[in-house]
Coordinates of all heavy atoms in Angstrom, one line a residue:
S34 N 57.8 -50.9 -16.5 CA 58.1 -52.4 -16.7 C 56.8 -53.2 -16.6 O 55.8 -52.7 -16.2 CB 59.1 -52.9 -15.6 OG 58.4 -52.8 -14.3
T35 N 56.9 -54.4 -17.0 CA 55.7 -55.3 -16.9 C 55.3 -55.5 -15.5 O 54.1 -55.7 -15.1 CB 56.0 -56.7 -17.6 OG1 57.2 -57.2 -17.1 CG2 56.2 -56.5 -19.1
N36 N 56.3 -55.6 -14.6 CA 56.0 -55.8 -13.2 C 55.2 -54.7 -12.6 O 54.3 -54.8 -11.8 CB 57.3 -56.0 -12.4 CG 57.9 -57.4 -12.5 OD1 57.2 -58.3 -12.9 ND2 59.1 -57.6 -12.0
E37 N 55.6 -53.4 -13.0 CA 54.9 -52.3 -12.5 C 53.5 -52.3 -13.0 O 52.5 -52.0 -12.3 CB 55.6 -51.0 -12.9 CG 54.9 -49.8 -12.3 CD 55.2 -48.5 -13.0 OE1 55.3 -48.5 -14.3 OE2 55.4 -47.4 -12.4
W38 N 53.3 -52.6 -14.3 CA 52.0 -52.7 -14.9 C 51.1 -53.7 -14.1 O 49.9 -53.4 -13.8 CB 52.1 -53.1 -16.4 CG 50.7 -53.5 -17.0 CD1 49.7 -52.6 -17.3 CD2 50.2 -54.8 -17.3 NE1 48.7 -53.3 -17.8 CE2 49.0 -54.6 -17.8 CE3 50.8 -56.1 -17.1 CZ2 48.2 -55.7 -18.2 CZ3 50.0 -57.2 -17.5 CH2 48.7 -57.0 -18.1
A39 N 51.6 -54.9 -13.9 CA 50.8 -55.9 -13.2 C 50.5 -55.5 -11.8 O 49.4 -55.7 -11.3 CB 51.6 -57.2 -13.2
F40 N 51.5 -54.8 -11.1 CA 51.2 -54.4 -9.7 C 50.1 -53.4 -9.7 O 49.2 -53.4 -8.8 CB 52.5 -53.7 -9.2 CG 52.4 -53.1 -7.8 CD1 52.4 -53.9 -6.7 CD2 52.2 -51.7 -7.7 CE1 52.3 -53.4 -5.4 CE2 52.0 -51.2 -6.4 CZ 52.1 -52.0 -5.3
Q41 N 50.0 -52.5 -10.7 CA 48.9 -51.5 -10.8 C 47.6 -52.1 -11.0 O 46.5 -51.6 -10.6 CB 49.3 -50.4 -11.8 CG 50.5 -49.6 -11.6 CD 50.4 -48.7 -10.4 OE1 49.3 -48.4 -9.9 NE2 51.5 -48.3 -9.8
M42 N 47.6 -53.3 -11.8 CA 46.3 -53.9 -12.2 C 45.7 -54.7 -11.0 O 44.5 -55.0 -11.0 CB 46.6 -54.8 -13.4 CG 47.1 -54.1 -14.6 SD 45.9 -52.9 -15.3 CE 44.6 -53.9 -15.9
V43 N 46.5 -55.2 -10.1 CA 46.0 -56.1 -9.0 C 45.4 -55.3 -7.9 O 46.0 -54.3 -7.4 CB 47.2 -57.0 -8.5 CG1 46.7 -57.8 -7.3 CG2 47.7 -57.9 -9.6
Q44 N 44.2 -55.7 -7.4 CA 43.6 -55.0 -6.3 C 44.1 -55.6 -5.0 O 44.7 -56.7 -4.9 CB 42.1 -55.2 -6.4 CG 41.4 -54.5 -7.6 CD 39.9 -54.7 -7.5 OE1 39.3 -55.3 -6.6 NE2 39.3 -54.2 -8.6
E45 N 44.0 -54.8 -4.0 CA 44.5 -55.2 -2.7 C 43.8 -56.4 -2.1 O 42.6 -56.6 -2.5 CB 44.4 -54.0 -1.7 CG 45.3 -52.8 -2.0 CD 45.3 -51.8 -0.9 OE1 44.5 -51.9 0.1 OE2 46.0 -50.8 -1.0
N46 N 44.5 -57.1 -1.3 CA 43.9 -58.3 -0.6 C 43.5 -59.4 -1.5 O 42.5 -60.1 -1.2 CB 42.8 -57.9 0.4 CG 43.2 -56.8 1.4 OD1 44.2 -57.0 2.1 ND2 42.5 -55.7 1.4
S47 N 44.1 -59.5 -2.7 CA 43.7 -60.5 -3.7 C 44.5 -61.8 -3.5 O 45.6 -61.8 -2.9 CB 44.0 -60.0 -5.1 OG 43.1 -58.9 -5.3
R48 N 43.9 -62.9 -4.0 CA 44.6 -64.2 -4.0 C 45.3 -64.3 -5.4 O 44.6 -64.2 -6.4 CB 43.5 -65.3 -3.8 CG 44.1 -66.7 -3.6 CD 44.5 -66.9 -2.2 NE 45.0 -68.3 -2.0 CZ 46.2 -68.7 -2.2 NH1 47.2 -67.9 -2.5 NH2 46.5 -70.0 -2.0
V49 N 46.6 -64.4 -5.4 CA 47.4 -64.3 -6.6 C 48.2 -65.5 -6.9 O 48.9 -66.0 -5.9 CB 48.3 -63.0 -6.6 CG1 49.1 -62.9 -7.9 CG2 47.4 -61.8 -6.4
L50 N 48.3 -66.0 -8.1 CA 49.3 -67.0 -8.5 C 50.2 -66.3 -9.5 O 49.8 -65.8 -10.5 CB 48.6 -68.2 -9.2 CG 49.5 -69.2 -9.9 CD1 50.4 -69.9 -8.8 CD2 48.7 -70.3 -10.6
E51 N 51.5 -66.3 -9.2 CA 52.5 -65.7 -10.1 C 53.3 -66.8 -10.7 O 54.0 -67.6 -10.0 CB 53.4 -64.7 -9.3 CG 54.3 -64.0 -10.2 CD 55.2 -63.0 -9.4 OE1 55.1 -62.9 -8.2 OE2 56.0 -62.3 -10.1
I52 N 53.4 -66.8 -12.0 CA 54.1 -67.8 -12.8 C 55.5 -67.1 -13.2 O 55.5 -66.1 -13.8 CB 53.4 -68.2 -14.1 CG1 52.0 -68.8 -13.7 CG2 54.2 -69.3 -14.8 CD1 52.0 -70.0 -12.8

Side-chain angles (χ1 to χ4, degrees):
S34 66
T35 55
N36 278 350
E37 186 200 38
W38 169 75
F40 178 80
Q41 297 295 338
M42 298 298 289
V43 173
Q44 294 183 3
E45 292 186 359
N46 302 308
S47 295
R48 188 83 173 90
V49 180
L50 172 62
E51 186 179 1
I52 305 298

